[in-house]
Amino acid sequence: MNGIQMVDLKTQYERLRHRIDPAMSEVVSSCTFIKGPALKEFETNLANYLGVKHAIGVANGTDALQIALMALDLKPGDEVIVPSFTYVATAEVIGLLGLIPVMVDVDINTYNIDISKASSLVTSKTKAIVPVHLYGQSAPMEDVLAFADKHNLFVIEDNAQAIGGDYKMSNGTPAKTGTLGDIGCTSFFPSKNLGCFGDGGALFTNDDDVAAKIRMIANHGQPQKYLHKVLGVNSRLDTLQAAVLNVKLEELDDFATRRQAVAAAYDDAFENIEHIVCQKIPAYSNHVYHQYTVRITNGQRDELQNFLKSRGVPSMIYYPIPLYKQEAFSKYHNDIPHEVTEQLCKEAISLPIHTEMESNTQDYIINSIESFFEK
Ligand SMILES: *Cc1c(COP(=O)(O)O)cnc(C)c1O
């Protein structure tokens, strides 16, 4: 079978272009490229969707994380706890600001931060924690919040992979992922669950002062034009991207449903394959499947990947090397190795999943995997 992709952006665009093209066209014909009406509209729509007071568009998800740390007034030398199994951006911005990323291991069932291992990492310099909602399901937020409360830490949620996901509090109250900490951050990179046509990102918060500060920092530190209160950055979400996102936000729940159907078919098929262990979904979270990622427990993950490649089935290893083993982080003397992160780097493999998966394509992928394990 030809042309199987990890993510099929083209077919999704074809399906939605009758709504996206006019929205983009309106921005172009009105030349409202910077801070245009579609951006304001999107920020309002996103805040309403998430149930937060403020959503602020920025240039990308990495900037969102950086601006969040800046808005909370963290100072060089302050320590920030992050999981060691995540995309580099989460820890990179911490180091860039002169803060110290302190890495903590993750849980083998959910692949998310293991709070039980975080207490021993707290020092008098620890000021914040950045849980990552990896692959599309929430970190254990009530545990994170209780931990943060106990140690007086800010909580910045890296929601780049789980936008649209649902968290359920232990008392039954629902919340969207990314809205429980002090600041939530997300990315609109094209392949993310809510993706635009280039780079984009956003921060969300319920705190009016923090929101004002985020806006100021993202705009060269100016509360008003030519008055520069702090050193800031130039990080904007283009109006064109906001126009695309306004259309796609209306589809976000449907996107999740489509991804969940693909995941359910994989789950069913893999139930009887001894060496495949699927990600566990905890009671407090649903899963919006930015990635469908399983563990291959017989040591043949890389062989499986090569076999699938030979059959035209792409797959990805997110992430092959623990962050603390990356040269960029060598100076932080993180407490290594982390048992679960090491294991996931060797065992995890992500399979094609997106909003346009055809059942015959998925059958082919599943048959290919089955035949590998029947060899
Ligand atoms: C994609 C991603 C980011 C960064 O977003 P960009 O828009 O690419 O800068 C940060 N954290 C996680 C977990 C991500 O998946």
Side-chain angles (χ1 to χ4, degrees):
M1 186 173 273
N2 284 327
I4 303 178
Q5 301 172 76
M6 287 297 288
V7 183
D8 184 352
L9 297 176
K10 193 162 160 36
T11 308
Q12 189 192 71
Y13 168 63
E14 296 296 347
R15 187 160 62 79
L16 299 175
R17 71 182 299 171
H18 66 286
R19 289 162 58 202
I20 292 176
D21 285 5
M24 292 182 80
S25 201
E26 192 178 313
V27 176
V28 175
S29 59
S30 63
C31 293
T32 51
F33 301 114
I34 303 293
K35 291 191 185 294
L39 173 62
K40 214 173 178 78
E41 202 183 307
F42 174 64
E43 290 182 337
T44 304
N45 292 343
L46 182 62
N48 289 342
Y49 173 84
L50 293 171
V52 292
K53 278 175 86 174
H54 307 276
I56 299 139
V58 293
N60 56 69
T62 308
D63 275 9
L65 290 162
Q66 177 176 331
I67 293 165
L69 293 163
M70 293 169 79
L72 296 172
D73 279 334
L74 300 189
K75 297 282 178 317
D78 286 349
E79 295 175 5
V80 181
I81 297 176
V82 283
S84 51
F85 190 65
T86 178
Y87 183 56
V88 65
T90 319
E92 182 179 36
V93 291
I94 295 169
L96 263 183
L97 293 173
L99 312 169
I100 315 289
V102 176
M103 294 175 196
V104 59
D105 205 0
V106 294
D107 177 80
I108 191 65
N109 294 310
T110 63
Y111 318 156
N112 272 323
I113 193 164
D114 185 345
I115 282 293
S116 72
K117 292 181 181 166
S119 291
S120 62
L121 303 171
V122 175
T123 74
S124 60
K125 290 185 170 169
T126 312
K127 294 291 153 60
I129 181 167
V130 186
V132 180
H133 307 313
L134 200 72
Y135 300 152
Q137 71 179 9
S138 180
M141 281 309 293
E142 280 164 296
D143 291 349
V144 171
L145 293 172
F147 176 83
D149 210 36
K150 181 170 170 200
H151 300 288
N152 206 12
L153 312 178
F154 291 115
V155 178
I156 298 170
E157 295 178 69
D158 184 342
N159 198 32
Q161 299 189 2
I163 185 95
D166 293 314
Y167 187 87
K168 193 160 99 195
M169 311 286 257
S170 41
N171 68 5
T173 310
K176 298 307 277 183
T177 56
T179 66
L180 294 169
D182 294 285
I183 302 177
C185 297
T186 201
S187 162
F188 304 125
F189 187 80
S191 62
K192 298 281 158 87
N193 287 32
L194 179 59
C196 63
F197 290 176
D199 277 306
L203 300 90
F204 12 98
T205 183
N206 283 308
D207 185 315
D208 297 343
D209 294 338
V210 169
K213 205 144 176 209
I214 289 168
R215 285 197 186 279
M216 178 177 77
I217 291 166
N219 185 27
H220 297 293
Q222 40 185 0
Q224 65 191 67
K225 207 156 176 65
Y226 299 124
L227 192 74
H228 301 277
K229 205 167 154 186
V230 295
L231 295 180
V233 295
N234 172 22
S235 189
R236 290 185 281 247
L237 180 63
D238 292 337
T239 314
L240 264 175
Q241 303 300 354
V244 174
L245 290 164
N246 268 323
V247 175
K248 286 209 187 183
L249 181 60
E250 288 178 6
E251 300 299 313
L252 186 56
D253 289 344
D254 178 61
F255 290 168
T257 305
R258 288 163 175 259
R259 288 173 178 272
Q260 285 157 353
V262 176
Y266 278 139
D267 281 347
D268 270 359
F270 300 154
E271 206 168 39
N272 299 318
I273 300 182
E274 190 190 343
H275 301 301
I276 298 183
V277 178
C278 299
Q279 193 177 6
K280 300 265 186 321
I281 302 178
Y284 52 77
S285 180
N286 76 342
H287 204 319
V288 292
Y289 294 101
H290 172 58
Q291 300 296 341
Y292 183 87
T293 305
V294 296
R295 289 193 291 123
I296 305 302
T297 56
N298 66 348
Q300 294 195 322
R301 193 260 320 259
D302 294 348
E303 287 88 334
L304 171 65
Q305 183 170 45
N306 287 333
F307 176 79
L308 291 177
K309 193 173 168 197
S310 74
R311 303 210 24 159
V313 176
S315 60
M316 294 292 286
I317 309 301
Y318 301 116
Y319 300 92
I321 303 171
L323 282 184
Y324 50 76
K325 282 191 176 159
Q326 299 283 358
E327 196 178 340
F329 294 97
S330 58
K331 69 174 175 182
Y332 297 113
H333 302 292
N334 284 285
D335 182 25
I336 53 176
H338 293 168
E339 187 188 350
V340 177
T341 291
E342 297 278 328
Q343 189 179 346
L344 288 170
C345 287
K346 291 191 187 86
E347 293 183 347
I349 184 167
S350 302
L351 301 173
I353 191 164
H354 50 78
T355 59
E356 315 300 319
M357 181 73 83
E358 301 276 359
S359 58
N360 62 336
T361 305
Q362 192 175 12
D363 288 345
Y364 178 83
I365 297 169
I366 289 170
N367 290 339
S368 300
I369 293 167
E370 284 169 346
S371 66
F372 175 80
F373 286 103
E374 278 158 13
K375 273 189 310 176

